Structure formats: structure tokens, C-alpha cells
Amino acid sequence: MFLFNFFKELGYKIIIHPKIENTDKRPDFLISKDDVEIYVEAKICKDKSNYEESNEKMMERFYETIDKIYSPHFMFRIESINLKTKNQPSTKDLIKKLRIKFLN
């Protein structure tokens, strides 16, 4: 939407997903103004690498699982977590140990 509005405000004529001869590819836009025609393909720019995004999602799932533990008498506070692998941390054993220690 940003690019569409940006080029529209600059006075460009915009064709969305234009058909290109001899190919099945369809870029996001064909913009034209005066004697200039440009195909535009939009990409998402992120401030995090794929690894950082994956790690963040993994930690969110971990916290969501921990948050589901029934704990009427206490709350958890996690100051830091250091992951040793790229795999999702197992919460099964952790929850079991916490239940034994605090809920029995």
C-alpha cells in the first residue's frame, strides 16, 4: 500500500500485477510517467535476521507454555534464558518438576 500510494502521489500511472509477454512472472506494479516505464517488485525490510525472528518466536512459544502452568500461590519471573540449541526448549520436564516442587 505504501508504494502504491507513494507512486500515485508522484503522479505515476500504476498497473497492478501487469502481465509480461513470454513469461508467467507478474511483478507487483508497472509504473509509468512521461516516457518512463518501470516494473516494481515490493519487498519487506526487517530489522531482524531470520535467525533472530525464529529465536524470538521460539521464546514466545516457551513463555506461552510456562504461562499456562496453574500456579495459585506464586508467579514466575524469568530473568534470562540461554538456549543451547536451535531447537524448541522442552517445557514438559520443566512443568513436571515445578508441579512436584511447588504444587504438591
Side-chain angles (χ1 to χ4, degrees), residues 24-57:
D24 291 336
K25 296 186 180 202
R26 298 188 72 150
D28 293 322
F29 307 110
L30 170 60
I31 61 171
S32 58
K33 184 177 178 181
D34 303 325
D35 293 334
V36 176
E37 283 191 345
I38 303 170
Y39 290 104
V40 177
E41 184 68 29
K43 293 288 181 183
I44 296 174
C45 294
K46 303 180 279 183
D47 63 342
K48 296 177 185 164
S49 68
N50 288 341
Y51 173 78
E52 289 170 322
E53 273 193 0
S54 172
N55 196 38
E56 190 173 281
K57 287 178 186 175

CSV table of all heavy atoms in Angstrom, one decimal, residues 24-57:
chain,number,residue,atom,x,y,z
A,24,ASP,N,5.6,-16.1,-17.1
A,24,ASP,CA,4.4,-16.2,-16.2
A,24,ASP,C,4.6,-15.2,-15.0
A,24,ASP,O,3.7,-15.1,-14.2
A,24,ASP,CB,4.3,-17.6,-15.6
A,24,ASP,CG,3.9,-18.6,-16.7
A,24,ASP,OD1,3.3,-18.1,-17.7
A,24,ASP,OD2,4.2,-19.8,-16.6
A,25,LYS,N,5.8,-14.5,-14.9
A,25,LYS,CA,6.0,-13.6,-13.8
A,25,LYS,C,5.2,-12.4,-13.9
A,25,LYS,O,4.9,-11.9,-15.0
A,25,LYS,CB,7.5,-13.2,-13.8
A,25,LYS,CG,8.4,-14.4,-13.5
A,25,LYS,CD,9.8,-14.0,-13.4
A,25,LYS,CE,10.6,-15.3,-13.1
A,25,LYS,NZ,11.8,-15.1,-12.5
A,26,ARG,N,4.7,-12.0,-12.8
A,26,ARG,CA,3.9,-10.8,-12.7
A,26,ARG,C,4.4,-9.9,-11.5
A,26,ARG,O,4.1,-10.2,-10.4
A,26,ARG,CB,2.4,-11.1,-12.5
A,26,ARG,CG,2.0,-12.0,-13.8
A,26,ARG,CD,0.5,-12.2,-13.8
A,26,ARG,NE,-0.2,-11.0,-14.1
A,26,ARG,CZ,-1.4,-11.0,-14.7
A,26,ARG,NH1,-1.9,-12.1,-15.1
A,26,ARG,NH2,-2.0,-9.9,-14.9
A,27,PRO,N,5.1,-8.9,-11.8
A,27,PRO,CA,5.6,-8.0,-10.7
A,27,PRO,C,4.5,-7.3,-10.0
A,27,PRO,O,3.3,-7.3,-10.5
A,27,PRO,CB,6.6,-7.0,-11.4
A,27,PRO,CG,6.1,-7.1,-12.8
A,27,PRO,CD,5.5,-8.4,-13.1
A,28,ASP,N,4.8,-6.7,-8.9
A,28,ASP,CA,3.7,-6.0,-8.2
A,28,ASP,C,3.1,-4.9,-8.9
A,28,ASP,O,1.9,-4.7,-8.9
A,28,ASP,CB,4.3,-5.5,-6.8
A,28,ASP,CG,4.6,-6.7,-5.9
A,28,ASP,OD1,3.9,-7.7,-5.9
A,28,ASP,OD2,5.6,-6.6,-5.2
A,29,PHE,N,3.9,-4.0,-9.6
A,29,PHE,CA,3.4,-2.9,-10.3
A,29,PHE,C,4.2,-2.6,-11.6
A,29,PHE,O,5.4,-2.9,-11.7
A,29,PHE,CB,3.6,-1.6,-9.4
A,29,PHE,CG,3.0,-1.7,-8.0
A,29,PHE,CD1,3.8,-1.7,-6.9
A,29,PHE,CD2,1.6,-1.7,-7.8
A,29,PHE,CE1,3.3,-1.7,-5.7
A,29,PHE,CE2,1.1,-1.7,-6.5
A,29,PHE,CZ,2.0,-1.8,-5.5
A,30,LEU,N,3.5,-2.0,-12.5
A,30,LEU,CA,4.2,-1.3,-13.6
A,30,LEU,C,3.8,0.2,-13.4
A,30,LEU,O,2.6,0.5,-13.4
A,30,LEU,CB,3.7,-1.8,-15.0
A,30,LEU,CG,4.1,-1.0,-16.2
A,30,LEU,CD1,5.7,-1.0,-16.3
A,30,LEU,CD2,3.5,-1.5,-17.4
A,31,ILE,N,4.8,1.0,-13.2
A,31,ILE,CA,4.5,2.4,-13.0
A,31,ILE,C,5.0,3.2,-14.3
A,31,ILE,O,6.0,2.8,-14.9
A,31,ILE,CB,5.1,3.0,-11.8
A,31,ILE,CG1,6.7,2.9,-11.8
A,31,ILE,CG2,4.6,2.3,-10.5
A,31,ILE,CD1,7.4,3.6,-10.7
A,32,SER,N,4.3,4.2,-14.7
A,32,SER,CA,4.7,4.9,-15.9
A,32,SER,C,4.3,6.4,-15.7
A,32,SER,O,3.3,6.7,-15.1
A,32,SER,CB,4.0,4.4,-17.1
A,32,SER,OG,2.6,4.4,-17.0
A,33,LYS,N,5.2,7.2,-16.2
A,33,LYS,CA,5.0,8.7,-16.2
A,33,LYS,C,5.9,9.2,-17.3
A,33,LYS,O,7.1,8.9,-17.4
A,33,LYS,CB,5.4,9.2,-14.9
A,33,LYS,CG,5.2,10.7,-14.7
A,33,LYS,CD,5.6,11.1,-13.3
A,33,LYS,CE,5.4,12.6,-13.1
A,33,LYS,NZ,5.8,13.0,-11.8
A,34,ASP,N,5.3,10.1,-18.1
A,34,ASP,CA,6.0,10.6,-19.3
A,34,ASP,C,6.5,9.5,-20.2
A,34,ASP,O,5.7,8.7,-20.6
A,34,ASP,CB,7.1,11.6,-18.9
A,34,ASP,CG,6.6,12.7,-18.0
A,34,ASP,OD1,5.5,13.2,-18.2
A,34,ASP,OD2,7.3,13.1,-17.0
A,35,ASP,N,7.8,9.4,-20.4
A,35,ASP,CA,8.3,8.3,-21.3
A,35,ASP,C,9.0,7.2,-20.5
A,35,ASP,O,9.7,6.4,-21.0
A,35,ASP,CB,9.4,8.9,-22.3
A,35,ASP,CG,8.7,9.9,-23.3
A,35,ASP,OD1,7.5,9.7,-23.6
A,35,ASP,OD2,9.5,10.7,-23.8
A,36,VAL,N,8.7,7.2,-19.2
A,36,VAL,CA,9.4,6.2,-18.3
A,36,VAL,C,8.4,5.1,-17.9
A,36,VAL,O,7.3,5.4,-17.4
A,36,VAL,CB,10.0,6.9,-17.1
A,36,VAL,CG1,10.6,5.9,-16.1
A,36,VAL,CG2,11.0,7.9,-17.5
A,37,GLU,N,8.8,3.8,-18.0
A,37,GLU,CA,8.0,2.7,-17.5
A,37,GLU,C,9.0,1.9,-16.7
A,37,GLU,O,10.1,1.5,-17.1
A,37,GLU,CB,7.5,1.8,-18.6
A,37,GLU,CG,6.3,2.4,-19.3
A,37,GLU,CD,5.6,1.4,-20.2
A,37,GLU,OE1,6.3,0.3,-20.6
A,37,GLU,OE2,4.5,1.6,-20.6
A,38,ILE,N,8.5,1.5,-15.5
A,38,ILE,CA,9.4,0.8,-14.5
A,38,ILE,C,8.5,-0.3,-13.9
A,38,ILE,O,7.4,0.0,-13.4
A,38,ILE,CB,9.9,1.7,-13.4
A,38,ILE,CG1,10.7,2.8,-14.0
A,38,ILE,CG2,10.8,0.9,-12.4
A,38,ILE,CD1,11.1,3.9,-13.0
A,39,TYR,N,9.0,-1.5,-13.9
A,39,TYR,CA,8.4,-2.6,-13.1
A,39,TYR,C,8.9,-2.5,-11.7
A,39,TYR,O,10.1,-2.3,-11.4
A,39,TYR,CB,8.8,-4.0,-13.7
A,39,TYR,CG,8.1,-4.3,-15.0
A,39,TYR,CD1,8.9,-4.2,-16.2
A,39,TYR,CD2,6.8,-4.6,-15.1
A,39,TYR,CE1,8.3,-4.4,-17.4
A,39,TYR,CE2,6.2,-4.8,-16.3
A,39,TYR,CZ,7.0,-4.7,-17.5
A,39,TYR,OH,6.4,-5.0,-18.7
A,40,VAL,N,8.0,-2.6,-10.7
A,40,VAL,CA,8.3,-2.5,-9.3
A,40,VAL,C,7.9,-3.8,-8.6
A,40,VAL,O,6.8,-4.2,-8.7
A,40,VAL,CB,7.6,-1.3,-8.7
A,40,VAL,CG1,8.0,-1.2,-7.2
A,40,VAL,CG2,8.0,0.0,-9.4
A,41,GLU,N,8.8,-4.4,-7.8
A,41,GLU,CA,8.6,-5.5,-7.0
A,41,GLU,C,8.8,-5.1,-5.6
A,41,GLU,O,9.9,-4.7,-5.2
A,41,GLU,CB,9.5,-6.7,-7.4
A,41,GLU,CG,9.2,-8.0,-6.7
A,41,GLU,CD,7.9,-8.6,-7.0
A,41,GLU,OE1,7.4,-8.4,-8.2
A,41,GLU,OE2,7.3,-9.3,-6.1
A,42,ALA,N,7.8,-5.2,-4.7
A,42,ALA,CA,7.9,-4.8,-3.3
A,42,ALA,C,8.5,-5.9,-2.5
A,42,ALA,O,8.2,-7.1,-2.7
A,42,ALA,CB,6.6,-4.4,-2.8
A,43,LYS,N,9.4,-5.6,-1.6
A,43,LYS,CA,10.0,-6.5,-0.6
A,43,LYS,C,9.8,-6.0,0.8
A,43,LYS,O,9.7,-4.7,1.0
A,43,LYS,CB,11.5,-6.7,-0.9
A,43,LYS,CG,11.8,-7.4,-2.2
A,43,LYS,CD,11.4,-8.8,-2.1
A,43,LYS,CE,11.7,-9.5,-3.4
A,43,LYS,NZ,11.3,-10.9,-3.4
A,44,ILE,N,9.8,-6.8,1.7
A,44,ILE,CA,9.7,-6.4,3.1
A,44,ILE,C,11.1,-6.3,3.7
A,44,ILE,O,11.9,-7.2,3.6
A,44,ILE,CB,8.9,-7.5,4.0
A,44,ILE,CG1,7.4,-7.6,3.5
A,44,ILE,CG2,8.9,-7.1,5.4
A,44,ILE,CD1,6.6,-8.6,4.1
A,45,CYS,N,11.3,-5.2,4.4
A,45,CYS,CA,12.6,-4.9,5.0
A,45,CYS,C,12.4,-5.2,6.5
A,45,CYS,O,11.4,-4.6,7.1
A,45,CYS,CB,13.1,-3.5,4.8
A,45,CYS,SG,13.5,-3.2,3.1
A,46,LYS,N,13.2,-6.0,7.1
A,46,LYS,CA,13.1,-6.3,8.5
A,46,LYS,C,14.3,-5.8,9.3
A,46,LYS,O,15.4,-5.8,8.7
A,46,LYS,CB,12.8,-7.8,8.8
A,46,LYS,CG,11.6,-8.3,8.0
A,46,LYS,CD,11.5,-9.8,8.3
A,46,LYS,CE,12.4,-10.6,7.4
A,46,LYS,NZ,12.2,-12.0,7.5
A,47,ASP,N,14.2,-5.5,10.5
A,47,ASP,CA,15.3,-5.1,11.3
A,47,ASP,C,15.9,-6.3,12.0
A,47,ASP,O,16.8,-6.2,12.8
A,47,ASP,CB,15.0,-4.0,12.3
A,47,ASP,CG,13.9,-4.5,13.3
A,47,ASP,OD1,13.2,-5.5,13.1
A,47,ASP,OD2,13.8,-3.8,14.4
A,48,LYS,N,15.4,-7.5,11.8
A,48,LYS,CA,15.9,-8.7,12.4
A,48,LYS,C,16.2,-9.8,11.3
A,48,LYS,O,15.6,-9.9,10.3
A,48,LYS,CB,14.8,-9.3,13.3
A,48,LYS,CG,14.5,-8.4,14.5
A,48,LYS,CD,13.4,-9.1,15.3
A,48,LYS,CE,13.0,-8.1,16.4
A,48,LYS,NZ,11.7,-8.4,17.0
A,49,SER,N,17.2,-10.6,11.6
A,49,SER,CA,17.6,-11.7,10.7
A,49,SER,C,16.5,-12.8,10.9
A,49,SER,O,15.8,-12.8,11.8
A,49,SER,CB,19.0,-12.2,11.0
A,49,SER,OG,19.0,-12.9,12.3
A,50,ASN,N,16.6,-13.7,9.9
A,50,ASN,CA,15.6,-14.9,10.0
A,50,ASN,C,15.9,-15.6,11.3
A,50,ASN,O,15.0,-16.1,12.0
A,50,ASN,CB,15.8,-15.8,8.8
A,50,ASN,CG,15.2,-15.2,7.6
A,50,ASN,OD1,14.4,-14.3,7.6
A,50,ASN,ND2,15.7,-15.7,6.4
A,51,TYR,N,17.2,-15.8,11.7
A,51,TYR,CA,17.6,-16.4,12.9
A,51,TYR,C,17.0,-15.7,14.1
A,51,TYR,O,16.4,-16.4,15.0
A,51,TYR,CB,19.1,-16.6,13.1
A,51,TYR,CG,19.5,-17.1,14.4
A,51,TYR,CD1,19.4,-18.5,14.7
A,51,TYR,CD2,20.0,-16.3,15.4
A,51,TYR,CE1,19.8,-19.0,15.9
A,51,TYR,CE2,20.3,-16.8,16.6
A,51,TYR,CZ,20.2,-18.1,16.9
A,51,TYR,OH,20.6,-18.6,18.1
A,52,GLU,N,17.1,-14.4,14.2
A,52,GLU,CA,16.6,-13.6,15.3
A,52,GLU,C,15.0,-13.8,15.4
A,52,GLU,O,14.5,-13.9,16.5
A,52,GLU,CB,17.0,-12.2,15.2
A,52,GLU,CG,18.4,-11.9,15.4
A,52,GLU,CD,18.9,-10.5,15.0
A,52,GLU,OE1,18.3,-9.9,14.0
A,52,GLU,OE2,19.7,-10.0,15.8
A,53,GLU,N,14.4,-13.7,14.2
A,53,GLU,CA,12.9,-13.9,14.2
A,53,GLU,C,12.5,-15.2,14.7
A,53,GLU,O,11.6,-15.4,15.5
A,53,GLU,CB,12.4,-13.6,12.8
A,53,GLU,CG,12.1,-12.2,12.5
A,53,GLU,CD,11.2,-12.1,11.3
A,53,GLU,OE1,10.9,-13.1,10.6
A,53,GLU,OE2,10.9,-10.9,11.0
A,54,SER,N,13.2,-16.3,14.2
A,54,SER,CA,12.9,-17.6,14.6
A,54,SER,C,13.1,-17.8,16.1
A,54,SER,O,12.3,-18.4,16.8
A,54,SER,CB,13.8,-18.6,13.9
A,54,SER,OG,13.7,-19.9,14.3
A,55,ASN,N,14.2,-17.3,16.6
A,55,ASN,CA,14.5,-17.4,18.0
A,55,ASN,C,13.5,-16.6,18.9
A,55,ASN,O,13.0,-17.1,19.9
A,55,ASN,CB,15.9,-16.7,18.3
A,55,ASN,CG,16.5,-17.1,19.6
A,55,ASN,OD1,16.3,-18.3,20.1
A,55,ASN,ND2,17.1,-16.2,20.3
A,56,GLU,N,13.0,-15.5,18.4
A,56,GLU,CA,12.0,-14.7,19.1
A,56,GLU,C,10.7,-15.5,19.2
A,56,GLU,O,10.0,-15.6,20.3
A,56,GLU,CB,11.8,-13.4,18.5
A,56,GLU,CG,11.0,-12.4,19.2
A,56,GLU,CD,11.0,-11.1,18.6
A,56,GLU,OE1,12.0,-10.3,18.7
A,56,GLU,OE2,10.0,-10.7,17.9
A,57,LYS,N,10.3,-16.1,18.1
A,57,LYS,CA,9.1,-16.9,18.1
A,57,LYS,C,9.2,-18.1,19.0
A,57,LYS,O,8.2,-18.5,19.7
A,57,LYS,CB,8.7,-17.3,16.6
A,57,LYS,CG,8.2,-16.2,15.8
A,57,LYS,CD,8.0,-16.7,14.4
A,57,LYS,CE,7.6,-15.5,13.5
A,57,LYS,NZ,7.5,-15.9,12.1
